[in-house]
Amino acid sequence: MDRTFVIAKPDAVERGLAGEILARLERKGLRLVAAELRTITTETATAHYAEHDGKPFFADLVAFITRSPSLLLVVEGPEETWKVVRTMMGTTNPRDAAPGTIRGDYGTVLTENLVHGSDGPESADREIALFFPEL
């Protein structure tokens, strides 16, 4: 089985959409391996978004993801689970996301786009190790 990492971001939790995001993943046939409602620390957020360090939006990105609890998930599927999740999420900008995707159905602005999913097997491994080291 193939695993990937997903975050229902603070805006999703604040809007009461974390359960809907999890339900969509499960209805797709993905199996929940781990879940935790957690406020991400600045240290963890900085490590998670390291590739954006130095970019003009980095501080805002860290401030957003650490402002309140997120639902952190590890989900499992038969193959390329990361790709399944990314397709379900929709494009990064919710205004361009297709109806039927999480961002297309519930997102409104680019800076608060509800959900994060690993963008490949390497990032899935890195993110799972960062947020769920016991796995």
Side-chain angles (χ1 to χ4, degrees):
M1 294 301 265
D2 184 55
R3 292 180 175 177
T4 198
F5 179 70
V6 180
I7 302 174
K9 296 179 182 180
D11 57 327
V13 175
E14 293 163 3
R15 292 177 55 197
L17 295 171
E20 172 64 19
I21 291 168
L22 176 56
R24 283 181 178 223
L25 296 170
E26 289 184 317
R27 283 195 303 266
K28 184 69 174 179
L30 303 178
R31 188 178 76 81
L32 183 62
V33 174
E36 183 179 336
L37 187 65
R38 181 191 317 168
T39 300
I40 298 170
T41 65
T42 300
E43 179 184 11
T44 301
T46 300
H48 177 63
Y49 289 124
E51 70 271 15
H52 299 301
D53 196 3
K55 295 179 181 171
F57 58 86
F58 181 72
D60 290 338
L61 188 61
V62 171
F64 165 62
I65 202 70
T66 60
R67 81 175 181 204
S68 62
S70 294
L71 181 62
L72 310 175
L73 306 167
V74 177
V75 296
E76 186 175 75
E79 60 184 62
E80 293 190 318
T81 304
W82 69 271
K83 195 177 284 188
V84 173
V85 170
R86 300 282 294 188
T87 300
M88 293 177 69
M89 288 169 34
T91 59
T92 302
N93 189 334
R95 288 172 287 190
D96 299 329
T101 65
I102 294 165
R103 291 175 175 151
D105 289 351
Y106 302 113
T108 55
V109 294
L110 176 63
T111 55
E112 297 194 11
N113 60 18
L114 302 169
V115 65
H116 163 85
S118 301
D119 63 4
E122 296 82 15
S123 64
D125 290 344
R126 180 180 63 80
E127 292 169 346
I128 291 168
L130 178 64
F131 288 95
F132 291 96
E134 68 280 7
L135 294 179

